[in-house]
Amino acid sequence: MSLLTLSLKRGRAWAGSKDFFLSVLNSTSTKREAKSYLSRFTPFKKRKPDPTQGAPRHTQELNPSYYDSARVNRPGVNLGSFYVPSTAIDQIPVFSQQPRKDSATTDIAEPLHIALVKIRAPQSLDDTTLQGIGHTLSQLGRLGLRSAVVIDCDNRLEVGSAQQGRDDRRHLATEQADRVVAAIESNGGAPARRLDNSIELAPLHDRLIPTVSIRGEARVTFRKLLLAPLRRGVIPVILPVGYTSGSQEAIAVCPDDVVLALTREFAGIQTTSLPHEDISIVAQRIESLQKQISVDKLIILDPLGGIPSTDRRNRAHVFINMEQEFDEIKQELLGNDPKKIDQVDQQIESPKIDSLLSELGASNPFTRFAETELVSIPTATSNNQLSNNSSLPPTIKLHLRNLQLIQRNLALLPPTSSALLTTPEEAANSGRPLATSYQTPGVGTRRQRNPLIHNLLTDKPAISSSLPLGRLGSHPNTDPTSNQSPVVPTTFAKRGMPVTILPDPRVNAWRSPAPSDRRLKLSDARIDLPRLIHLIEDSFNRKIDIEHYLNRVNDRLAGVIIAGEYEGGALLTWETPPGVPDDGSELSRRRMVPYLDKFAVLKRSQGAGGVADIVFKAMVRDCFPEGVAWRSRRDNPVNKWYFERARGTWKLPNTNWTMFWTTEGLVQDQQRYLDYEGVCRAVEPSWADNKAVVD
């Protein structure tokens, strides 16, 4: 190898490393986020031996000095391992009423962290974009996240794409898989390998033994065929082709079903149990499989980008809490048309349960539960029915498919897993400077975040979902000199948590109460008051005077928002400004101020999981869309988060309070503004430590 060639290789390697570290540093993860990332992607651990049990067996074999004290006079010849304790002798049964403890050290391997990546319409991407995607996937591997790629050549936006024959689709998928493999390996990227024999088709009527994946047609044939390359750092590129279990005929499979099959396999729930097998043994086997692999992310690269949002004017949903928003977004995509919603629901619903139950399932309650409740995975037929629905625009069909794929995958994975839906161009940027039509000499530009790398390090979307629209920029190609956040067509999703809002604003909108209205109280049976008090005290790290607080808010409570199992929440009230009689008159009701009295998130959920964003979004979108006010101490570290989400702020003179509001045009309405200020000054704290004097 010539000196010039070696120098060029080193130069390319240095440039690649520089690009990698710039992408990582540009993610701007906080110290808390970095700590969370390091806790999830830790190196292999080794269990320390118990000093009371003597030297470990394999340590004894590797340490010759261990045998020095017990060495006898041996002849001057090499006897090999004659004097080394043999396994057979060590395991001779002995009479003991207590089980023998094996003192050998064992390596506790960290699970293999995997991202399932689906690339739709790779035939529409140029080589440069594919190489950028391959480079990003290689960077994810260097950060501890291995990728398994599924090819999806279905491009329903192209005329005639739906009429392609089976052989044509297979040929196109093979061709594009080879392009993706070459793109990943270009410029010294991670090794890649095309797999076309890892999926098997198992018709439902051929299954004699019930499995947890009873409603899934595609399944992984050989687990080791996928795990072996992944453990070696090789990226498998999987074709949407399955082989029938009987005739071994190759059949094109819906790529979404391939992703679901991989999810079930890697999650350890695609396992077959015998009718007489102990349930505990099955559970142990599933748990063992789950410890080997952790499916951390589902990544969908689609030219259409994220799920569109009607609230964001041609922008994508930033974050989706599936437990709360799945049905709402599906209805939104269908234009809230009841006829279309019913039609789509009928097409994607699972087949009749009773027709799928095996004989064992019909007679065994546990098996019936496993077959009917644990899984809600539709067959490829139902997915194709949705795609062939001629009454829906092609883009809406594809967005619905992506939404349903995300929902079904996350339903099978732990709550910590997440999904990311973005464009191939965004995934390929690798920290490039923002593209602009001009470049000022001598002036640097901000580098564009790669959503995949940023999301891996932070487990958050690139921008917060609870930010007002004015903070999100005016166009995806935002001016780099602007202070507004650049808009990216990316959607981040988690299984999330349910959100309970009392009273339900979908039934009756929140409004200032009339004297005849029934008021919500914290003693309501639907509210777990002890858990709510614990949430407030844990979040504020202060004890609350419960009696004083209940007396103050019970007669003015507007509503309560609870996220998950009291992981976060908000208490909102209707406050009467000073000097206005609280007599229920029309004037009094018109002057009432919607007020955020308490906003709390458990310490363990602060800064992670998007709990605060979920609660805040529910408050400003569902409860008080016309605006709400609140106050915070000037030295509160959360104020920066509040500043980003408020339409306006004001440091109240002669107090330690800062007033925030989301009401549009408040400053122009002088009377309304004075009412807001009066309420924020007058609300009396209810802390038990009597430290309100500092305010």
Side-chain angles (χ1 to χ4, degrees):
M1 183 181 295
S2 66
L3 184 61
L4 178 61
T5 304
L6 184 61
S7 177
L8 289 174
K9 276 188 147 185
R10 288 178 177 175
R12 284 195 295 267
W14 180 85
S17 298
K18 177 184 176 183
D19 191 26
F20 170 69
F21 287 114
L22 282 174
S23 297
V24 172
L25 293 174
N26 192 56
S27 67
T28 62
S29 58
T30 64
K31 183 177 180 181
R32 178 183 294 177
E33 291 163 351
K35 184 177 180 181
S36 175
Y37 161 76
L38 292 174
S39 68
R40 287 181 288 121
F41 293 86
T42 53
F44 290 92
K45 298 178 181 179
K46 182 170 288 188
R47 181 180 297 153
K48 295 181 180 180
D50 188 350
T52 63
Q53 300 297 324
R57 189 182 307 129
H58 72 260
T59 304
Q60 298 168 4
E61 296 173 1
L62 295 176
N63 185 10
S65 63
Y66 174 78
Y67 298 104
D68 288 345
S69 59
R71 186 173 297 171
V72 295
N73 294 329
R74 302 175 184 170
V77 294
N78 182 12
L79 298 180
S81 59
F82 184 81
Y83 285 97
V84 177
S86 70
T87 303
I89 295 177
D90 188 62
Q91 295 180 353
I92 291 178
V94 295
F95 178 81
S96 175
Q97 293 181 339
Q98 301 295 331
R100 298 177 65 185
K101 295 183 179 180
D102 188 357
S103 58
T105 60
T106 57
D107 291 334
I108 306 175
E110 186 71 14
L112 183 65
H113 296 274
I114 291 179
L116 297 178
V117 183
K118 192 187 84 162
I119 305 177
R120 193 182 71 78
Q123 68 271 23
S124 65
L125 307 178
D126 55 34
D127 291 340
T128 302
T129 302
L130 279 180
Q131 289 175 5
I133 293 172
H135 186 57
T136 299
L137 296 182
S138 299
Q139 290 180 334
L140 292 179
R142 295 177 66 179
L143 289 169
L145 185 66
R146 311 289 174 83
S147 299
V149 180
V150 176
I151 299 298
D152 181 0
C153 294
D154 182 11
N155 191 2
R156 300 280 167 161
L157 298 180
E158 293 183 358
V159 178
S161 62
Q163 284 75 36
Q164 287 181 327
R166 185 172 64 182
D167 293 337
D168 293 337
R169 291 199 299 270
R170 283 189 57 196
H171 176 74
L172 178 61
T174 302
E175 182 182 83
Q176 296 307 313
D178 290 337
R179 286 187 65 212
V180 172
V181 169
I184 294 173
E185 294 182 335
S186 63
N187 299 320
R193 171 185 174 189
R194 171 167 61 86
L195 293 180
D196 57 3
N197 58 348
S198 58
I199 300 298
E200 179 186 29
L201 297 179
L204 294 174
H205 60 78
D206 287 345
R207 298 187 179 187
L208 299 179
I209 300 176
T211 65
V212 178
S213 58
I214 189 168
R215 299 187 199 175
E217 187 179 60
R219 66 185 182 190
V220 174
T221 309
F222 299 109
R223 181 183 177 91
K224 292 183 179 180
L225 189 65
L226 291 170
L227 291 185
L230 283 169
R231 293 194 183 282
R232 297 196 306 269
V234 178
I235 298 177
V237 180
I238 304 163
L239 269 69
V241 176
Y243 291 84
T244 58
S245 56
S247 61
Q248 291 298 303
E249 178 185 4
I251 298 177
V253 183
C254 176
D256 291 358
D257 285 352
V258 176
V259 175
L260 286 166
L262 294 173
T263 302
R264 294 194 300 270
E265 180 64 43
F266 289 150
I269 61 176
Q270 185 161 302
T271 181
T272 302
S273 59
L274 298 175
H276 61 275
E277 194 169 14
D278 192 343
I279 295 176
S280 60
I281 297 177
V282 177
Q284 290 176 3
R285 183 166 67 246
I286 294 176
E287 183 181 5
S288 175
L289 293 173
Q290 291 175 340
K291 288 181 178 179
Q292 299 175 17
I293 300 176
S294 173
V295 182
D296 295 312
K297 303 219 174 272
L298 168 66
I299 301 173
I300 302 177
L301 305 182
D302 192 312
L304 292 177
I307 305 296
S309 171
T310 56
D311 294 336
R312 297 184 179 274
R313 298 192 298 270
N314 296 326
R315 296 183 176 101
H317 279 278
V318 174
F319 172 71
I320 298 178
N321 175 19
M322 282 293 175
E323 286 279 357
Q324 176 197 10
E325 300 178 283
F326 173 72
D327 289 330
E328 296 177 8
I329 295 175
K330 182 178 66 175
Q331 294 169 10
E332 182 182 295
L333 288 173
L334 297 172
N336 292 312
D337 186 335
K339 185 177 180 181
K340 290 182 179 180
I341 294 171
D342 292 341
Q343 186 180 13
V344 170
D345 287 342
Q346 290 173 6
Q347 288 175 345
I348 66 175
E349 70 181 357
S350 302
K352 189 176 179 181
I353 290 177
D354 291 339
S355 64
L356 295 178
L357 286 173
S358 63
E359 294 182 3
L360 179 64
S363 61
N364 188 315
F366 175 82
T367 308
R368 181 184 180 91
F369 171 80
E371 294 181 6
T372 60
E373 300 296 333
L374 293 184
V375 180
S376 58
I377 303 170
T379 63
T381 304
S382 61
N383 283 332
N384 292 333
Q385 286 176 348
L386 176 61
S387 299
N388 296 329
N389 189 326
S390 58
S391 64
L392 297 176
T395 55
I396 296 300
K397 296 177 190 177
L398 293 172
H399 284 309
L400 282 172
R401 278 183 51 187
N402 289 336
L403 182 67
Q404 291 160 3
L405 177 62
I406 292 173
Q407 190 266 344
R408 286 168 183 145
N409 270 270
L410 295 182
L412 298 173
L413 297 173
T416 53
S417 300
S418 59
L420 195 69
L421 173 59
T422 189
T423 63
E425 290 75 18
E426 288 294 325
N429 71 51
S430 294
R432 296 191 303 257
L434 285 167
T436 59
S437 58
Y438 63 88
Q439 180 68 44
T440 305
V443 178
T445 60
R446 293 184 308 182
R447 299 182 70 87
Q448 188 177 3
R449 291 178 180 177
N450 184 297
L452 274 64
I453 295 176
H454 175 270
N455 183 254
L456 172 63
L457 295 176
T458 65
D459 200 31
K460 292 180 180 179
I463 54 178
S464 174
S465 61
S466 60
L467 286 175
L469 294 179
R471 301 270 196 262
L472 298 180
S474 57
H475 191 271
N477 294 327
T478 303
D479 185 348
T481 61
S482 171
N483 290 326
Q484 293 175 324
S485 302
V487 178
V488 293
T490 301
T491 296
F492 176 62
K494 279 199 166 188
R495 186 200 301 180
M497 58 191 66
V499 176
T500 303
I501 303 179
L502 300 174
D504 192 342
R506 295 172 298 182
V507 178
N508 292 306
W510 289 15
R511 58 184 178 85
S512 54
S516 59
D517 290 344
R518 182 180 179 183
R519 297 285 192 95
L520 177 72
K521 295 182 179 295
L522 291 181
S523 56
D524 191 288
R526 296 169 294 178
I527 299 175
D528 191 334
L529 184 58
R531 297 181 72 181
L532 183 61
I533 295 298
H534 170 73
L535 167 63
I536 296 173
E537 294 181 341
D538 181 79
S539 178
F540 286 86
N541 199 28
R542 299 178 72 178
K543 290 292 183 181
I544 194 170
D545 186 336
I546 300 177
E547 183 178 357
H548 181 276
Y549 186 67
L550 293 178
N551 290 334
R552 190 181 73 78
V553 303
N554 256 342
D555 291 332
R556 61 187 76 232
L557 195 63
V560 178
I561 304 173
I562 300 296
E565 295 296 324
Y566 288 80
E567 296 174 58
L571 279 80
L572 300 112
T573 58
W574 289 106
E575 299 290 342
T576 305
V580 177
D582 188 8
D583 54 8
S585 64
E586 185 64 27
L587 174 62
S588 174
R589 294 178 59 200
R590 192 166 55 247
R591 296 277 299 274
M592 281 186 174
V593 174
Y595 181 73
L596 171 60
D597 188 84
K598 290 289 183 291
F599 189 91
V601 178
L602 290 177
K603 288 179 182 177
R604 59 180 172 83
S605 299
Q606 292 177 5
V611 178
D613 282 324
I614 290 173
V615 176
F616 195 90
K617 187 177 177 182
M619 177 182 70
V620 298
R621 185 190 65 177
D622 302 325
C623 302
F624 284 138
E626 301 299 323
V628 62
W630 69 97
R631 70 182 187 184
S632 175
R633 288 180 175 80
R634 293 187 182 186
D635 57 351
N636 190 340
V638 184
N639 284 351
K640 181 180 178 181
W641 192 86
Y642 286 151
F643 279 126
E644 292 179 341
R645 285 151 183 81
R647 288 187 180 271
T649 66
W650 173 249
K651 293 182 179 179
L652 301 179
N654 303 318
T655 73
N656 194 37
W657 296 113
T658 297
M659 180 176 74
F660 299 86
W661 66 87
T662 63
T663 308
E664 189 172 1
L666 178 66
V667 178
Q668 288 74 27
D669 189 342
Q670 185 177 8
Q671 182 61 63
R672 190 71 169 158
Y673 179 83
L674 292 175
D675 288 345
Y676 274 44
E677 181 181 353
V679 166
C680 288
R681 287 179 178 273
V683 171
E684 185 179 356
S686 298
W687 301 112
D689 52 18
N690 294 320
K691 292 182 180 179
V693 66
V694 300
D695 302 326

